[in-house]
Amino acid sequence: KRSCHRPAGPRTGSESYSRGLPEGVEYIPTRKKGKNPMKPVGVAWYRLYAHTRLGYLFYRWQVKKARERYPHGHSAPQPCLFPGVKILPIPVISNNYSYLIIDTGSGRAAVIDPSDPLAVQAVIEEEGVMLEAIFCTHKHWDHSGGNAVLRQQHGSCKVYGSTLDAIPELTNPLVDREKVSVGHLTFEALATPGHTVGHMVYVLDGRPFGGPPCLFSGDLLFLGGCGRIFEGSPETMLASLDVAVGLGKDTLLWPGHEYTLECLTFASLLEPENPALEQKLQWATQQRQEKRSTCPSTLGEEQTYNPFLRTHRPELHAVLGLWQGRWEDPDALRARVLKEVRRLKDLYKTT
């Protein structure tokens, strides 16, 4: 019997939306400092963060501050158990998640995006498992910063990822649809560019254990949101999101960040009358008030309220004032919708 997902609760009330800019949305000047490097603080800062040693030093500062502020992690996670599999979300930095996935039969394990090596190592030791693989979704330090330290501690551990991203300590480059076994676990790598050019997600095959597929989405897809498009186009990101949706509605979504409340609050400005969104927002608000993790979700659930997975919906087109041109391909319209929703989200902050 598996134990993972927690149902959403009811919600009353809704936010209003006016034509044009949604009520409650603020425009943030590009010079304004963000709380982390993924906030809209300008292209120049992103280049420094992603491509220079300044980015690494900033990451080290983030880790140090988060360890002081959240000695037990930013959220209380919920382990996920299937017969033969254990998934342990590890809250790291201020809102990131790493994941330790254990083949309980052999005691072999893999970790997704080990941002803080001390936090990850503590869970490895507590579980008494052997770390065989690091699966890195992309190069950003808040996802790859712990690779080197963990490789030093676990000499036989391999680091997997795309060669298109400069992933630290990469030992085993992967291509799209390539599969990797860790004990009895099978992971499939899927190329999902957009956030970065070499972004990959990893899908754990749950069928041998009587469970659903598990998508470790990095910064492609969040509960209620998606990653910023730093190194791609709306068309590229749309194609990557479609790859994720194609995994099936029962697929469990394990994102790289705890952004749920912010994402759902923004989404409610676009679709204030969406009952699934209202219900999920109420549940997420309660979870975050208690500092509990909101992971996982399912892809089926996400398609009922995540605006980045609803680019085909007429109600979203109407809200944005976007309509299909006479000779326009439907996917071209969807890309325009995604671009506009992403633009509004980049300029949004909770008020």
Side-chain angles (χ1 to χ4, degrees), residues 1-6 75-82 85-91 97-102 104 123 126-127 214 216 252 254 287 292-296:
K1 186 177 180 179
R2 70 175 187 259
S3 173
C4 279
H5 189 57
R6 301 175 300 282
S75 303
Q78 176 86 11
C80 181
L81 303 172
F82 304 114
V85 182
K86 188 174 187 179
I87 300 174
L88 292 167
I90 307 172
Y97 285 111
S98 301
Y99 296 96
L100 188 69
I101 305 101
I102 302 169
T104 57
V123 178
E126 182 179 344
E127 296 295 321
C214 292
F216 299 94
L252 293 182
W254 301 95
Q287 289 290 109
R292 294 182 180 275
S293 171
T294 57
C295 307

CSV table of all heavy atoms in Angstrom, one decimal, residues 1-6 75-82 85-91 97-102 104 123 126-127 214 216 252 254 287 292-296:
chain,number,residue,atom,x,y,z
A,1,LYS,N,0.9,-1.2,0.0
A,1,LYS,CA,0.0,0.0,0.0
A,1,LYS,C,0.9,1.2,0.0
A,1,LYS,O,1.8,1.3,0.7
A,1,LYS,CB,-0.9,0.0,1.2
A,1,LYS,CG,-1.9,1.1,1.3
A,1,LYS,CD,-2.8,1.0,2.5
A,1,LYS,CE,-3.8,2.1,2.5
A,1,LYS,NZ,-4.7,2.1,3.6
A,2,ARG,N,0.6,2.2,-0.9
A,2,ARG,CA,1.4,3.4,-0.9
A,2,ARG,C,0.8,4.5,-0.1
A,2,ARG,O,-0.4,4.6,0.2
A,2,ARG,CB,1.6,3.8,-2.4
A,2,ARG,CG,0.3,4.4,-3.0
A,2,ARG,CD,0.7,4.9,-4.4
A,2,ARG,NE,-0.3,5.7,-5.1
A,2,ARG,CZ,-1.1,5.2,-6.0
A,2,ARG,NH1,-1.0,3.9,-6.4
A,2,ARG,NH2,-2.1,5.9,-6.5
A,3,SER,N,1.7,5.4,0.3
A,3,SER,CA,1.3,6.5,1.1
A,3,SER,C,2.1,7.7,0.7
A,3,SER,O,3.3,7.8,0.8
A,3,SER,CB,1.6,6.3,2.6
A,3,SER,OG,1.4,7.4,3.4
A,4,CYS,N,1.4,8.7,0.0
A,4,CYS,CA,2.1,9.9,-0.5
A,4,CYS,C,1.2,11.1,-0.5
A,4,CYS,O,1.5,12.0,0.2
A,4,CYS,CB,2.4,9.6,-2.0
A,4,CYS,SG,3.9,8.7,-2.3
A,5,HIS,N,0.1,11.0,-1.3
A,5,HIS,CA,-0.6,12.2,-1.6
A,5,HIS,C,-1.6,12.6,-0.6
A,5,HIS,O,-2.3,11.8,-0.1
A,5,HIS,CB,-1.3,12.0,-3.0
A,5,HIS,CG,-1.8,13.3,-3.6
A,5,HIS,ND1,-1.1,14.4,-3.8
A,5,HIS,CD2,-3.1,13.6,-4.0
A,5,HIS,CE1,-1.9,15.3,-4.3
A,5,HIS,NE2,-3.1,14.9,-4.4
A,6,ARG,N,-1.7,13.9,-0.4
A,6,ARG,CA,-2.7,14.4,0.6
A,6,ARG,C,-3.8,15.3,-0.2
A,6,ARG,O,-3.4,16.1,-1.0
A,6,ARG,CB,-2.0,15.3,1.6
A,6,ARG,CG,-1.0,14.6,2.4
A,6,ARG,CD,-0.2,15.4,3.3
A,6,ARG,NE,0.5,16.5,2.7
A,6,ARG,CZ,1.6,16.4,2.0
A,6,ARG,NH1,2.2,15.2,1.9
A,6,ARG,NH2,2.2,17.4,1.4
A,75,SER,N,10.7,23.3,5.4
A,75,SER,CA,9.4,22.7,5.5
A,75,SER,C,9.4,21.3,6.1
A,75,SER,O,10.5,20.7,6.1
A,75,SER,CB,8.8,22.6,4.0
A,75,SER,OG,8.7,23.8,3.4
A,76,ALA,N,8.3,20.9,6.6
A,76,ALA,CA,8.2,19.5,7.1
A,76,ALA,C,7.7,18.6,5.9
A,76,ALA,O,6.6,18.7,5.5
A,76,ALA,CB,7.2,19.4,8.2
A,77,PRO,N,8.6,17.8,5.4
A,77,PRO,CA,8.3,17.0,4.3
A,77,PRO,C,7.5,15.7,4.6
A,77,PRO,O,7.5,15.3,5.8
A,77,PRO,CB,9.7,16.6,3.7
A,77,PRO,CG,10.6,16.5,4.9
A,77,PRO,CD,10.0,17.6,5.9
A,78,GLN,N,6.9,15.1,3.6
A,78,GLN,CA,6.1,13.9,3.8
A,78,GLN,C,6.8,12.8,3.0
A,78,GLN,O,6.8,12.8,1.7
A,78,GLN,CB,4.7,14.1,3.3
A,78,GLN,CG,3.8,12.9,3.3
A,78,GLN,CD,3.1,12.7,4.6
A,78,GLN,OE1,3.1,13.5,5.5
A,78,GLN,NE2,2.5,11.5,4.8
A,79,PRO,N,7.4,11.8,3.6
A,79,PRO,CA,8.0,10.7,2.9
A,79,PRO,C,6.9,10.0,2.0
A,79,PRO,O,5.7,9.9,2.4
A,79,PRO,CB,8.6,9.8,3.9
A,79,PRO,CG,8.7,10.6,5.2
A,79,PRO,CD,7.6,11.6,5.1
A,80,CYS,N,7.3,9.4,0.9
A,80,CYS,CA,6.4,8.7,0.1
A,80,CYS,C,6.9,7.2,0.0
A,80,CYS,O,8.1,7.0,-0.3
A,80,CYS,CB,6.4,9.3,-1.3
A,80,CYS,SG,5.3,8.5,-2.5
A,81,LEU,N,6.0,6.3,0.3
A,81,LEU,CA,6.4,4.9,0.3
A,81,LEU,C,5.6,4.0,-0.6
A,81,LEU,O,4.4,4.1,-0.7
A,81,LEU,CB,6.2,4.3,1.8
A,81,LEU,CG,6.9,5.1,2.9
A,81,LEU,CD1,6.5,4.6,4.2
A,81,LEU,CD2,8.4,4.9,2.7
A,82,PHE,N,6.3,3.2,-1.4
A,82,PHE,CA,5.7,2.1,-2.2
A,82,PHE,C,6.4,0.9,-1.8
A,82,PHE,O,7.5,0.9,-1.2
A,82,PHE,CB,6.0,2.3,-3.7
A,82,PHE,CG,5.5,3.6,-4.3
A,82,PHE,CD1,6.4,4.6,-4.8
A,82,PHE,CD2,4.1,3.9,-4.3
A,82,PHE,CE1,5.9,5.8,-5.3
A,82,PHE,CE2,3.7,5.1,-4.8
A,82,PHE,CZ,4.6,6.0,-5.3
A,85,VAL,N,10.2,0.9,-2.6
A,85,VAL,CA,10.7,2.3,-2.9
A,85,VAL,C,10.3,3.2,-1.8
A,85,VAL,O,9.2,3.2,-1.2
A,85,VAL,CB,10.0,2.8,-4.2
A,85,VAL,CG1,10.6,4.2,-4.5
A,85,VAL,CG2,10.3,1.9,-5.4
A,86,LYS,N,11.3,4.1,-1.5
A,86,LYS,CA,11.1,5.2,-0.5
A,86,LYS,C,11.6,6.5,-1.1
A,86,LYS,O,12.7,6.6,-1.6
A,86,LYS,CB,11.8,4.9,0.8
A,86,LYS,CG,11.5,5.8,1.9
A,86,LYS,CD,12.2,5.3,3.2
A,86,LYS,CE,11.8,6.2,4.4
A,86,LYS,NZ,12.4,5.7,5.7
A,87,ILE,N,10.7,7.5,-1.1
A,87,ILE,CA,11.1,8.8,-1.7
A,87,ILE,C,11.1,9.8,-0.5
A,87,ILE,O,10.1,10.0,0.2
A,87,ILE,CB,10.1,9.3,-2.7
A,87,ILE,CG1,10.1,8.3,-3.9
A,87,ILE,CG2,10.4,10.7,-3.2
A,87,ILE,CD1,9.1,8.6,-5.0
A,88,LEU,N,12.2,10.4,-0.3
A,88,LEU,CA,12.4,11.3,0.8
A,88,LEU,C,12.7,12.7,0.3
A,88,LEU,O,13.8,13.0,-0.2
A,88,LEU,CB,13.5,10.9,1.7
A,88,LEU,CG,13.3,9.6,2.5
A,88,LEU,CD1,14.6,9.1,3.1
A,88,LEU,CD2,12.2,9.8,3.6
A,89,PRO,N,11.7,13.7,0.3
A,89,PRO,CA,12.0,15.0,0.0
A,89,PRO,C,12.9,15.6,1.1
A,89,PRO,O,12.7,15.4,2.3
A,89,PRO,CB,10.6,15.7,0.0
A,89,PRO,CG,9.6,14.6,0.0
A,89,PRO,CD,10.3,13.4,0.7
A,90,ILE,N,13.9,16.4,0.7
A,90,ILE,CA,14.8,17.0,1.6
A,90,ILE,C,14.8,18.5,1.4
A,90,ILE,O,15.2,19.0,0.4
A,90,ILE,CB,16.3,16.5,1.4
A,90,ILE,CG1,16.3,15.0,1.4
A,90,ILE,CG2,17.2,17.1,2.4
A,90,ILE,CD1,17.7,14.4,1.0
A,91,PRO,N,14.2,19.3,2.3
A,91,PRO,CA,14.1,20.7,2.1
A,91,PRO,C,15.5,21.4,2.4
A,91,PRO,O,16.1,21.1,3.4
A,91,PRO,CB,13.1,21.2,3.2
A,91,PRO,CG,13.2,20.1,4.3
A,91,PRO,CD,13.5,18.8,3.5
A,97,TYR,N,14.0,21.8,-3.0
A,97,TYR,CA,13.9,20.4,-2.6
A,97,TYR,C,15.0,19.6,-3.3
A,97,TYR,O,15.1,19.7,-4.5
A,97,TYR,CB,12.5,19.9,-2.9
A,97,TYR,CG,11.4,20.3,-2.0
A,97,TYR,CD1,10.4,21.2,-2.5
A,97,TYR,CD2,11.4,19.9,-0.7
A,97,TYR,CE1,9.4,21.6,-1.7
A,97,TYR,CE2,10.4,20.4,0.2
A,97,TYR,CZ,9.4,21.2,-0.3
A,97,TYR,OH,8.4,21.6,0.5
A,98,SER,N,15.7,18.8,-2.5
A,98,SER,CA,16.4,17.6,-3.1
A,98,SER,C,15.6,16.4,-2.8
A,98,SER,O,14.7,16.5,-1.9
A,98,SER,CB,17.8,17.5,-2.4
A,98,SER,OG,18.6,18.7,-2.6
A,99,TYR,N,15.8,15.3,-3.5
A,99,TYR,CA,15.1,14.1,-3.2
A,99,TYR,C,16.0,12.9,-3.1
A,99,TYR,O,16.8,12.7,-4.0
A,99,TYR,CB,14.0,13.8,-4.3
A,99,TYR,CG,13.0,14.9,-4.4
A,99,TYR,CD1,13.1,16.0,-5.3
A,99,TYR,CD2,11.8,14.9,-3.6
A,99,TYR,CE1,12.1,17.0,-5.4
A,99,TYR,CE2,10.9,15.9,-3.7
A,99,TYR,CZ,11.0,16.9,-4.6
A,99,TYR,OH,10.1,17.9,-4.6
A,100,LEU,N,15.9,12.1,-2.1
A,100,LEU,CA,16.6,10.8,-2.0
A,100,LEU,C,15.6,9.7,-2.3
A,100,LEU,O,14.6,9.6,-1.6
A,100,LEU,CB,17.2,10.7,-0.6
A,100,LEU,CG,18.1,9.4,-0.4
A,100,LEU,CD1,19.4,9.6,-1.2
A,100,LEU,CD2,18.4,9.2,1.1
A,101,ILE,N,15.9,8.9,-3.3
A,101,ILE,CA,15.1,7.8,-3.7
A,101,ILE,C,15.8,6.5,-3.5
A,101,ILE,O,16.9,6.3,-4.0
A,101,ILE,CB,14.7,7.9,-5.2
A,101,ILE,CG1,14.0,9.3,-5.5
A,101,ILE,CG2,13.7,6.8,-5.6
A,101,ILE,CD1,15.0,10.3,-6.2
A,102,ILE,N,15.2,5.7,-2.7
A,102,ILE,CA,15.8,4.5,-2.1
A,102,ILE,C,15.2,3.2,-2.7
A,102,ILE,O,13.9,3.1,-2.6
A,102,ILE,CB,15.8,4.5,-0.6
A,102,ILE,CG1,16.5,5.7,0.0
A,102,ILE,CG2,16.5,3.2,0.0
A,102,ILE,CD1,16.2,5.9,1.5
A,104,THR,N,14.6,0.0,-1.4
A,104,THR,CA,14.7,-0.5,-0.1
A,104,THR,C,15.1,-2.0,0.0
A,104,THR,O,15.6,-2.4,1.0
A,104,THR,CB,13.3,-0.4,0.6
A,104,THR,OG1,12.3,-1.1,-0.1
A,104,THR,CG2,12.9,1.1,0.8
A,123,VAL,N,20.6,12.7,5.7
A,123,VAL,CA,19.5,11.8,5.4
A,123,VAL,C,20.1,10.4,4.9
A,123,VAL,O,19.6,9.4,5.3
A,123,VAL,CB,18.6,12.4,4.3
A,123,VAL,CG1,17.5,11.4,4.0
A,123,VAL,CG2,18.0,13.7,4.9
A,126,GLU,N,21.2,8.7,8.0
A,126,GLU,CA,20.1,8.3,8.8
A,126,GLU,C,19.4,7.0,8.2
A,126,GLU,O,18.9,6.1,8.9
A,126,GLU,CB,19.1,9.4,8.9
A,126,GLU,CG,17.9,9.1,9.8
A,126,GLU,CD,16.9,10.3,9.9
A,126,GLU,OE1,17.3,11.4,9.5
A,126,GLU,OE2,15.8,10.1,10.3
A,127,GLU,N,19.3,7.0,6.9
A,127,GLU,CA,18.7,5.8,6.2
A,127,GLU,C,19.6,4.6,6.1
A,127,GLU,O,19.2,3.5,5.8
A,127,GLU,CB,18.2,6.3,4.8
A,127,GLU,CG,17.1,7.3,4.9
A,127,GLU,CD,15.8,6.8,5.5
A,127,GLU,OE1,15.4,5.6,5.3
A,127,GLU,OE2,15.2,7.6,6.3
A,214,CYS,N,6.9,8.8,-11.2
A,214,CYS,CA,7.2,9.9,-10.4
A,214,CYS,C,8.1,10.8,-11.2
A,214,CYS,O,9.2,10.4,-11.7
A,214,CYS,CB,8.0,9.4,-9.1
A,214,CYS,SG,6.9,8.5,-8.0
A,216,PHE,N,10.5,14.0,-11.3
A,216,PHE,CA,11.3,15.0,-10.6
A,216,PHE,C,11.6,16.1,-11.6
A,216,PHE,O,12.5,15.9,-12.4
A,216,PHE,CB,12.5,14.3,-10.0
A,216,PHE,CG,12.1,13.1,-9.1
A,216,PHE,CD1,12.0,11.8,-9.5
A,216,PHE,CD2,11.9,13.4,-7.8
A,216,PHE,CE1,11.6,10.8,-8.7
A,216,PHE,CE2,11.5,12.4,-6.9
A,216,PHE,CZ,11.4,11.1,-7.4
A,252,LEU,N,3.1,11.4,-10.3
A,252,LEU,CA,3.3,12.3,-9.2
A,252,LEU,C,4.3,13.3,-9.6
A,252,LEU,O,5.4,13.0,-10.2
A,252,LEU,CB,3.8,11.5,-8.0
A,252,LEU,CG,2.9,10.5,-7.3
A,252,LEU,CD1,3.5,9.8,-6.1
A,252,LEU,CD2,1.6,11.2,-6.9
A,254,TRP,N,7.1,16.0,-8.4
A,254,TRP,CA,8.0,16.4,-7.3
A,254,TRP,C,8.9,17.5,-7.8
A,254,TRP,O,9.8,17.3,-8.5
A,254,TRP,CB,8.9,15.2,-6.9
A,254,TRP,CG,8.1,14.0,-6.4
A,254,TRP,CD1,7.8,12.9,-7.1
A,254,TRP,CD2,7.7,13.7,-5.1
A,254,TRP,NE1,7.1,12.0,-6.3
A,254,TRP,CE2,7.1,12.5,-5.0
A,254,TRP,CE3,7.8,14.4,-3.9
A,254,TRP,CZ2,6.5,11.9,-3.9
A,254,TRP,CZ3,7.3,13.9,-2.7
A,254,TRP,CH2,6.7,12.6,-2.7
A,287,GLN,N,-1.3,24.4,4.6
A,287,GLN,CA,-0.1,23.6,4.7
A,287,GLN,C,1.1,24.6,5.0
A,287,GLN,O,1.9,24.3,5.8
A,287,GLN,CB,0.2,22.9,3.3
A,287,GLN,CG,-0.7,21.7,3.0
A,287,GLN,CD,-0.4,20.6,3.9
A,287,GLN,OE1,-1.2,20.2,4.8
A,287,GLN,NE2,0.7,19.9,3.7
A,292,ARG,N,4.4,23.0,6.4
A,292,ARG,CA,4.4,21.7,5.8
A,292,ARG,C,4.6,21.8,4.3
A,292,ARG,O,4.2,22.7,3.6
A,292,ARG,CB,3.0,21.0,6.0
A,292,ARG,CG,2.8,20.7,7.5
A,292,ARG,CD,1.5,19.9,7.7
A,292,ARG,NE,1.2,19.6,9.1
A,292,ARG,CZ,1.7,18.6,9.7
A,292,ARG,NH1,2.4,17.7,9.1
A,292,ARG,NH2,1.4,18.4,11.0
A,293,SER,N,5.3,20.8,3.7
A,293,SER,CA,5.5,20.7,2.3
A,293,SER,C,4.2,20.5,1.6
A,293,SER,O,3.3,19.9,2.1
A,293,SER,CB,6.5,19.5,2.0
A,293,SER,OG,6.5,19.3,0.6
A,294,THR,N,4.1,21.0,0.4
A,294,THR,CA,2.9,20.8,-0.5
A,294,THR,C,3.1,19.7,-1.5
A,294,THR,O,2.3,19.5,-2.4
A,294,THR,CB,2.5,22.1,-1.2
A,294,THR,OG1,3.7,22.6,-2.0
A,294,THR,CG2,2.2,23.2,-0.2
A,295,CYS,N,4.3,19.1,-1.5
A,295,CYS,CA,4.6,18.0,-2.5
A,295,CYS,C,4.2,16.7,-2.0
A,295,CYS,O,4.3,16.4,-0.8
A,295,CYS,CB,6.1,18.0,-2.8
A,295,CYS,SG,6.7,19.6,-3.2
A,296,PRO,N,3.7,15.8,-2.9
A,296,PRO,CA,3.7,15.9,-4.3
A,296,PRO,C,2.3,16.4,-4.8
A,296,PRO,O,1.3,16.4,-4.0
A,296,PRO,CB,4.0,14.5,-4.8
A,296,PRO,CG,3.3,13.6,-3.8
A,296,PRO,CD,3.5,14.4,-2.5
